[in-house]
Amino acid sequence: MSDVELQARIERSVEGFDGERADWDGVLGAVRSAERRTRMRRLAILVAVLAVLVATPAFGIGQRLVDVIAGEPAPEEVKSELRRRNEVPEPVLELIDDLSPGVDADKARGVMSVQTTRGPVNLWVAPTKEGGFCAYVETATGGSSLCGNDADFGLPRPGLSADLRPLDARNDADNRLAFGRIVGWKPADRVQLELDDGRRLRARVARGWLMGELPEGATLVRIHLWRAGAVVATQEMLPPKPPPAVPDPDDYRAVLEVETLTGDTAVLSVAPAPPGQQCYRVSSRSTESATCGDPPFGDISVNGDLTSALLFGPVQVPAASLEVVFEDGERDDVPLEEGYFLYAVPADHVKRGRLPKEFIARDAAGKVVARAPAAPGG
Amino acid sequence: MELAPLEELYQARLPVFRRVAAGITGNRESARDAVQEAFVTAVRKRRSFRGDGPLEAWVWRIVVNTARNHHRRDAVRSRAEADVARRAESEPLGAELPLHLLTDRQREVVFLHYFADLGYEEIGAALAIAPGTVGATLNAARATLRRALTEVTA
């Protein structure tokens, strides 16, 4: 077979896409949605941290837990827990561009109760200002909440007549409660939880939400939605991540320390890591964030603890100094040691128009060696 | 980096991006999704483009990676019962050639060379391999296809 003939066969193997519609506006729209979701996730993480730190110890309704009746108004304790989701410190709101979920806790309603081996678990849901929801899962020993909207859980999947997107498949403290939301929900005959050993368990479904208890030691691998005797949707669950290597707390060595705008002291510490990896931790009174693993993508990796307006992370290029440039053009030196930076954003720079905009790393001769947007994860 | 160069590239080369992506995913619909998603990634990560190589090669790298991910995701989904309908609706590719005999790397090199008209340097940049490796991979792919097609017609 000649080269020309082979080339012709290759050319014919995949037909062209000429004449099809381009959708640049769709690209830009998806970028905006993705960035909105990223901000929402950051806020959810932030508020979850606050909730764990502040709310859980005060939550004491476990002994009075009873089955909820679908549609019944939530008790005051639950409303109060949901209301806390809106309580983001003012400076933080400025820093992350008004991302409070805006939950209307007074409209919280019961969705369902599930009897588990450890007692009943209640699900309460309240709407948010942007048409989303905050769900509160109440157990005998406490509770946890998650906020979002349907658009936060992936793009529609073509070919499925229904779409099943778990909000959080293992929401319970020891990963034994499957909990999800059925998007584009229509009445389902049943929902099955498929385990790693092949067993299928039936989940409770109400008002587009699902819940079910997983047996001890079992891993959820798929969720199946049935209607009229047939599976109409299947959701693959992501395999659980292997646990990261956790250094002994005594192995950490402090390299940077700053005072935050809340008057707290934040410390960045590093620990020995396997070759090619890195381990560092940022701790303060309000948070602790430990990262171990492969170096992140990018020359300057920006992470943040927005409760105290802290920015920190590794700088992957040899840099002698690091500078932050604010939206108003002002600049400030950023503490940089051993390839890590830790920066407490000053109080007068957590306002719109004055926020941190960019980090610039320089070598000893003053030459710019890296730049990165100052937004966490940006 | 400004948005304009990315938009120009998108408007000028969209059919080619989709065609190469279709070669990788084996599915035209997935290819359209993959290219769209790749440009979303490119727009979001454009500040990380250092300008030390051609923009198109940088974008090709994102497109190829995204198409690979779609291919893997489709393979997982195809095992799920719910995908029976989707498979029936999909548009199978490659009936003209025994592409299944090629490795993933060989297929990518073939498509980038023949559909996108990229040179060895550009393909190397897109796939993060040396230009010499591109040539060797392309030769091996051609030999495999030629042998298979000759056996069929003999």
Side-chain angles (χ1 to χ4, degrees):
Chain A
M1 172 175 286
S2 70
D3 283 347
V4 173
E5 194 178 347
L6 178 61
Q7 180 169 348
R9 296 284 286 267
I10 293 171
E11 289 283 351
R12 288 200 300 272
S13 67
V14 179
E15 283 179 26
F17 286 77
D18 295 321
E20 289 195 0
R21 189 176 73 91
D23 185 13
W24 181 248
D25 287 343
V27 171
L28 298 183
V31 168
R32 284 191 291 273
S33 297
E35 289 177 349
R36 197 164 54 240
R37 284 198 299 275
T38 302
R39 290 199 300 269
M40 284 295 287
R41 272 197 295 275
R42 283 181 202 145
L43 181 75
I45 291 166
L46 159 67
V47 179
V49 169
L50 288 175
V52 168
L53 288 171
V54 180
T56 305
F59 197 76
I61 64 172
Q63 295 306 314
R64 292 184 284 117
L65 200 63
V66 293
D67 282 8
V68 305
I69 300 168
E72 75 169 296
E76 192 49 44
E77 295 94 329
V78 169
K79 289 180 183 173
S80 171
E81 290 300 320
L82 286 167
R83 228 172 261 126
R84 287 174 189 269
R85 300 296 304 246
N86 294 333
E87 293 172 6
V88 183
E90 278 303 316
V92 175
L93 277 178
E94 291 276 327
L95 192 65
I96 56 180
D97 199 22
D98 192 13
L99 283 172
S100 164
V103 59
D104 189 349
D106 290 334
K107 292 184 179 170
R109 293 283 187 274
V111 172
M112 69 171 116
S113 270
V114 171
Q115 290 297 331
T116 73
T117 53
R118 290 167 299 170
V121 176
N122 293 338
L123 175 63
W124 307 90
V125 174
T128 65
K129 64 182 180 185
E130 291 190 348
F133 49 78
C134 283
Y136 189 83
V137 178
E138 179 194 13
T139 68
T141 54
S144 61
S145 59
L146 272 169
C147 295
N149 58 53
D150 291 343
D152 285 340
F153 305 106
L155 297 168
R157 299 153 134 230
L160 296 182
S161 56
D163 203 358
L164 194 67
R165 300 174 201 158
L167 185 64
D168 186 342
R170 290 172 292 273
N171 186 257
D172 206 5
D174 53 2
N175 295 343
R176 286 180 54 194
L177 188 66
F179 162 52
R181 176 164 170 79
I182 304 171
V183 179
W185 179 72
K186 294 175 186 173
D189 298 340
R190 59 188 158 123
V191 169
Q192 287 179 323
L193 308 174
E194 183 181 336
L195 308 179
D196 54 348
D197 59 8
R199 278 183 293 168
R200 291 188 178 198
L201 311 177
R202 192 161 179 167
R204 278 285 306 279
V205 180
R207 301 185 172 199
W209 295 84
L210 68 91
M211 276 210 303
E213 186 181 23
L214 304 177
E216 197 164 353
T219 301
L220 180 65
V221 293
R222 287 180 197 90
I223 304 175
H224 306 280
L225 176 64
W226 288 72
R227 193 182 308 136
V231 172
V232 291
T234 293
Q235 173 70 50
E236 293 273 346
M237 303 305 304
L238 293 174
K241 288 182 181 174
V246 180
D248 189 288
D250 293 338
D251 290 341
Y252 281 98
R253 176 174 52 82
V255 295
L256 283 167
E257 185 175 312
V258 297
E259 186 177 334
T260 72
L261 57 74
T262 55
D264 193 7
T265 298
V267 179
L268 187 147
S269 314
V270 298
Q277 299 197 342
Q278 56 186 201
C279 268
Y280 70 98
R281 180 181 71 185
V282 171
S283 51
S284 68
R285 196 175 55 202
S286 66
T287 190
E288 176 154 319
S289 162
T291 303
C292 282
D294 295 332
F297 180 77
D299 292 337
I300 303 173
S301 177
V302 182
N303 302 293
D305 165 27
L306 300 176
T307 57
S308 48
L310 268 181
L311 297 173
F312 55 86
V315 177
Q316 311 284 349
V317 290
S321 65
L322 187 64
E323 181 184 45
V324 60
V325 181
F326 298 97
E327 289 175 336
D328 58 6
E330 286 191 12
R331 293 165 180 262
D332 194 9
D333 291 332
V334 175
L336 175 70
E337 289 288 341
E338 301 184 24
Y340 293 90
F341 73 93
L342 176 64
Y343 183 67
V345 182
D348 56 351
H349 278 290
V350 290
K351 294 176 169 56
R352 289 192 187 91
R354 306 196 66 194
L355 297 173
K357 182 181 170 189
E358 186 180 32
F359 283 112
I360 301 174
R362 290 187 170 82
D363 63 14
K367 183 184 168 196
V368 173
V369 291
R371 293 173 178 269
Chain B
M1 184 182 58
E2 297 300 316
L3 271 178
L6 276 175
E7 183 180 1
E8 282 170 22
L9 190 59
Y10 178 88
Q11 302 290 4
R13 299 273 278 163
L14 183 61
V16 180
F17 282 120
R18 284 178 173 168
R19 196 175 183 200
V20 172
I24 295 170
T25 63
N27 180 296
R28 295 172 71 82
E29 193 54 44
S30 280
R32 293 184 189 100
D33 291 345
V35 172
Q36 203 75 354
E37 187 181 320
F39 270 88
V40 170
T41 303
V43 170
R44 295 188 73 195
K45 300 285 183 189
R46 66 188 187 279
R47 289 186 185 88
S48 67
F49 174 63
R50 301 177 189 175
D52 50 4
L55 173 65
E56 183 169 341
W58 182 74
V59 173
W60 271 116
R61 195 163 179 168
I62 298 172
V63 169
V64 168
N65 282 334
T66 310
R68 284 175 185 160
N69 291 340
H70 273 251
H71 181 51
R72 278 193 285 268
R73 216 178 301 163
D74 288 348
V76 171
R77 280 186 194 167
S78 67
R79 291 196 291 271
E81 298 152 85
D83 249 19
V84 172
R86 186 168 193 233
R87 282 205 302 275
E89 289 169 9
S90 67
E91 306 161 65
L93 300 174
E96 184 74 22
L97 275 180
L99 293 171
H100 62 279
L101 296 177
L102 303 183
T103 65
D104 288 347
R105 166 75 54 81
Q106 287 173 339
R107 284 157 55 108
E108 289 164 10
V109 169
V110 164
F111 296 134
L112 287 168
H113 181 69
Y114 286 104
F115 295 167
D117 289 328
L118 298 186
Y120 289 6
E121 289 277 350
E122 293 162 307
I123 295 174
L127 300 181
I129 57 178
T133 307
V134 174
T137 306
L138 192 55
N139 284 337
R142 283 188 190 123
T144 300
L145 292 174
R146 192 175 286 121
R147 193 165 49 243
L149 292 169
T150 305
E151 283 170 6
V152 169
T153 53

